[in-house]
Amino acid sequence: MAKLSFLNSFMEMNEIQDNMNLKICNIKELSKKIIHSNPIYLFKSDARKKEFIIKFHKTRDIMKNERFCNLYLENKGLCVPKIVSYSKSSRPYIIMEKINGKEPSKRDIPKRIKDLARVHVESLRDANLNSKMLKITNTDRIRNLEKNIRILQSNPFVKEDDINKFISLVDICKKIDYGLWGQCFCFNDFFINNSIKSGGKVYYFDFEKAVVASPFVDVGCMIIDYPEKYSEIKSLYIKNITKLIKENQPNLGFFIDFGVCEKIIEDAAFLSNDSIKKTKSNSYCKKLAKRKIESVSFVFNNLKNSFMGEK
């Protein structure tokens, strides 16, 4: 009953029940074990055997972006949870069918990369995407890098040598020209925990961070999840992109390395930011940030060597 009361503090339960034409029951929170997330709940209905997920969003625009991306990716042939209802109320939410399955394994890396490359390439031909989603420019990237580096400077577990590497990344970012790759659909959060394998298929969810931008932080997410698979992931992605575009893309390796470094700085800054409420202690999160940075530190060296070689 306490959990039901918690939901009532955000909105009337009658609205949810009316939208779905059913009576909901057996509500439980799903976000307790997650370091940080929007309020997410699992519930059943008394009229259907299926389980549903209700996810609350901070703003209507964020909810609209997630809903648009769900439909967009479904049209691109990706498996996504079915949205059965949504609300633009003061506490916006989306209700989806729950996908029963398990987290994809390393064996699913080729499938996930194939899906990723297809979405990236096909979105290059979508002239309407800019009017539907937030676009991140290179100026935005530089500003975000500088902000995240300032946060990491407050983390006592991050080495000064790493901070210096991060700062050098800003200079590299100022000189990067992504060309048409700056017009891609970018998941911007393509970590393993935002996918699930069910019935031999990989389903994708949680698109509220998705933007129009260069897409290589998506590959970066996969490498951060599996740093020991760095060469395989990088090679497979380049192979898939080249096959789809049918021409060599000489800068892809460099762009991917930059995407790894850019994403680990953002992820570590989130973990190091004491102002963001999390279910884990600030000390735990800062130590986790340090371990994540160390796991991909070799990519910073690769990127520096590549950049120096091109100058």
Side-chain angles (χ1 to χ4, degrees):
M1 185 62 69
K3 289 170 183 173
L4 184 61
S5 299
F6 185 71
L7 277 174
N8 274 330
S9 68
F10 292 115
M11 60 187 309
E12 293 185 14
M13 292 302 298
N14 287 339
E15 179 187 342
I16 304 175
Q17 295 179 142
D18 290 345
N19 282 350
M20 297 189 66
N21 193 29
L22 51 78
K23 183 176 181 180
I24 66 176
C25 57
N26 298 328
I27 301 171
K28 63 180 179 180
E29 191 173 359
L30 286 186
S31 43
K32 281 187 175 180
K33 295 182 180 179
I34 300 172
I35 287 178
H36 174 77
S37 76
N38 294 330
I40 303 174
Y41 297 88
L42 172 69
F43 69 88
K44 295 181 180 180
S45 74
D46 61 354
R48 305 182 195 177
K49 295 182 179 179
K50 288 183 178 180
E51 292 180 300
F52 300 92
I53 299 288
I54 179 167
K55 178 180 178 181
F56 292 91
H57 297 82
K58 293 178 182 177
T59 68
R60 294 183 183 93
D61 285 342
I62 293 175
M63 183 276 292
K64 285 172 59 180
N65 190 59
E66 177 136 15
R67 181 170 171 263
F68 168 78
C69 293
N70 180 284
L71 298 172
Y72 180 83
L73 293 170
E74 183 179 29
N75 288 335
K76 295 297 182 187
L78 268 64
C79 295
V80 295
K82 180 182 178 182
I83 294 177
V84 296
S85 186
Y86 66 94
S87 171
K88 299 178 182 179
S89 64
S90 59
R91 185 64 172 174
Y93 64 84
I94 284 176
I95 297 177
M96 301 170 285
E97 291 184 353
K98 181 179 182 291
I99 305 296
N100 293 309
K102 60 183 180 180
E103 192 173 90
S105 69
K106 293 177 183 178
R107 291 192 296 272
D108 298 303
I109 286 174
K111 166 61 177 170
R112 294 179 64 221
I113 289 176
K114 186 176 181 180
D115 287 343
L116 190 64
R118 187 171 80 250
V119 169
H120 287 169
V121 170
E122 290 187 9
S123 68
L124 287 173
R125 308 184 186 104
D126 194 339
N128 296 320
L129 207 56
N130 280 333
S131 64
K132 301 291 186 179
M133 300 174 65
L134 176 67
K135 179 175 171 58
I136 299 297
T137 66
N138 213 46
T139 300
D140 296 324
R141 306 178 89 95
I142 293 167
R143 187 183 302 115
N144 290 337
L145 271 173
E146 291 174 335
K147 179 191 71 174
N148 289 331
I149 291 168
R150 286 195 296 271
I151 294 171
L152 287 171
Q153 286 174 321
S154 68
N155 184 337
F157 299 107
V158 178
K159 299 174 183 177
E160 184 177 353
D161 181 55
D162 288 327
I163 295 295
N164 290 333
K165 289 179 183 177
F166 303 159
I167 293 171
S168 69
L169 207 68
V170 177
D171 293 329
I172 297 175
C173 191
K174 291 177 180 178
K175 296 177 174 66
I176 284 184
D177 181 8
Y178 287 109
L180 284 176
W181 287 112
Q183 305 294 322
C184 273
F185 178 99
C186 176
F187 288 83
N188 205 25
D189 199 16
F190 200 70
F191 288 111
I192 189 70
N193 59 300
N194 290 330
S195 57
I196 191 167
K197 189 172 183 180
S198 177
K201 300 177 181 179
V202 178
Y203 287 78
Y204 302 95
F205 53 88
D206 197 358
F207 311 122
E208 66 177 54
K209 292 183 180 179
V211 292
V212 175
S214 64
F216 305 104
V217 294
D218 290 343
V219 191
C221 290
M222 293 190 71
I223 290 172
I224 292 167
D225 278 332
Y226 302 115
E228 74 281 6
K229 295 288 186 179
Y230 164 78
S231 296
E232 178 185 343
I233 292 170
K234 191 174 179 180
S235 175
L236 275 173
Y237 180 80
I238 293 173
K239 182 179 179 180
N240 275 272
I241 291 292
T242 303
K243 182 178 180 180
L244 290 166
I245 294 184
K246 303 188 187 314
E247 62 181 57
N248 187 34
Q249 299 289 311
N251 294 322
L252 281 187
F254 177 79
F255 290 160
I256 290 169
D257 283 348
F258 191 88
V260 175
C261 298
E262 186 177 12
K263 196 62 185 180
I264 195 62
I265 289 173
E266 178 189 302
D267 196 35
F270 161 75
L271 291 168
S272 302
N273 191 342
D274 292 346
S275 68
I276 298 176
K277 185 178 179 181
K278 311 178 187 77
T279 58
K280 300 289 186 180
S281 70
N282 289 331
S283 176
Y284 172 89
C285 291
K286 287 179 179 179
K287 289 177 181 177
L288 177 59
K290 173 181 177 288
R291 292 197 299 272
K292 284 194 166 192
I293 291 169
E294 290 174 345
S295 73
V296 293
S297 60
F298 66 94
V299 183
F300 283 89
N301 296 329
N302 292 349
L303 183 66
K304 181 180 178 181
N305 293 336
S306 298
F307 183 67
M308 293 302 293
E310 291 184 359
K311 290 180 70 174

